[in-house]
């Protein structure tokens, strides 16, 4: 019986929800938030980073300035968890390498809508800046051998 009531509720409110999404009016604003898990595993010269653990997040605000055009801002980032790699130097001295990475993007964003129906097709566009931080430290028997940070934009 619960399934029948749920199906009836969806069927009753589906036309209202579809009607609410049919128009693109000048002045409409859109706010999108996202959070998830980064889906990347990378390796550079035998050093792995971004081991699919951490947090990924983003926010986007757009305002429609014409029936087929919206402009706004967007920011997103990825905070990867620290990874440990077993490494060696040119003399085959083994040590543990820790890698920590974070990536951020900030941009002016837009959408060019190709239709004006309930199911909208659009082309996203934008320009901005990306910042990445890459930190590597090497340890042997608990002692820090070296530490290096690099930030790029």
């Amino acid at each position: 019986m619960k399934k029948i009531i749920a199906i009836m509720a969806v069927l009753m409110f589906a036309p209202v929800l579809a009607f609410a999404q049919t128009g693109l009016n000048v002045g409409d604003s859109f706010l999108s938030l996202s959070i998830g898990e980064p889906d990347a595993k990378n390796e550079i010269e035998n050093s792995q980073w971004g081991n699919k653990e951490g947090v990924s997040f983003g926010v986007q605000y757009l305002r429609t300035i014409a029936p087929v055009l919206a402009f706004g801002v967007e920011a997103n980032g990825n905070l990867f968890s620290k990874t440990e790699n077993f490494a060696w130097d040119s003399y085959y001295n083994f040590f543990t390498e820790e890698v920590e990475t974070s990536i951020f993007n900030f941009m002016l964003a837009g959408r060019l809508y190709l239709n004006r129906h309930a199911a909208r097709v659009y082309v996203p566009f934008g320009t901005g800046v990306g910042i990445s931080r890459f930190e590597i430290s090497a340890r042997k028997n608990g002692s820090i051998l070296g530490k290096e940070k690099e930030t790029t934009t």
Side-chain angles (χ1 to χ4, degrees):
M1 184 67 178
K2 291 180 184 177
K3 291 180 182 178
I4 293 174
I5 293 172
I7 292 171
M8 292 301 294
V10 169
L11 292 176
M12 285 175 47
F13 292 109
V16 174
L17 296 174
F19 177 74
Q21 295 293 318
T22 58
L24 286 176
N25 299 312
V26 174
D28 286 353
S29 297
F30 304 94
L31 178 64
S32 303
L33 302 171
S34 64
I35 190 163
E37 182 179 36
D39 190 19
K41 185 171 184 175
N42 302 286
E43 188 171 316
I44 300 173
E45 296 178 3
N46 298 321
S47 293
Q48 293 182 359
W49 60 274
N51 62 351
K52 294 190 176 187
E53 295 177 9
V55 65
S56 179
F57 54 89
V59 61
Q60 181 185 60
Y61 174 79
L62 294 174
R63 186 166 178 89
T64 306
I65 62 167
V68 295
L69 191 60
F71 280 108
V73 293
E74 180 177 326
N76 58 62
N78 291 289
L79 301 174
F80 295 101
S81 64
K82 190 180 290 187
T83 59
E84 287 191 0
N85 301 296
F86 193 60
W88 58 89
D89 62 16
S90 58
Y91 300 106
Y92 297 101
N93 293 314
F94 294 100
F95 59 93
T96 303
E97 178 184 67
E98 292 179 343
V99 181
E100 193 172 359
T101 307
S102 56
I103 301 169
F104 301 97
N105 298 300
F106 306 96
M107 64 186 294
L108 298 174
R111 290 182 185 172
L112 176 63
Y113 293 99
L114 302 178
N115 64 358
R116 295 177 68 182
H117 304 292
R120 299 180 196 111
V121 178
Y122 63 87
V123 176
F125 61 91
T127 185
V129 63
I131 301 167
S132 64
R133 185 181 62 82
F134 198 69
E135 185 176 323
I136 300 174
S137 61
R139 289 184 295 112
K140 185 171 187 174
N141 299 328
S143 300
I144 295 177
L145 300 176
K147 195 169 190 175
E148 185 177 326
K149 284 185 182 181
E150 183 175 329
T151 303
T152 58
T153 55

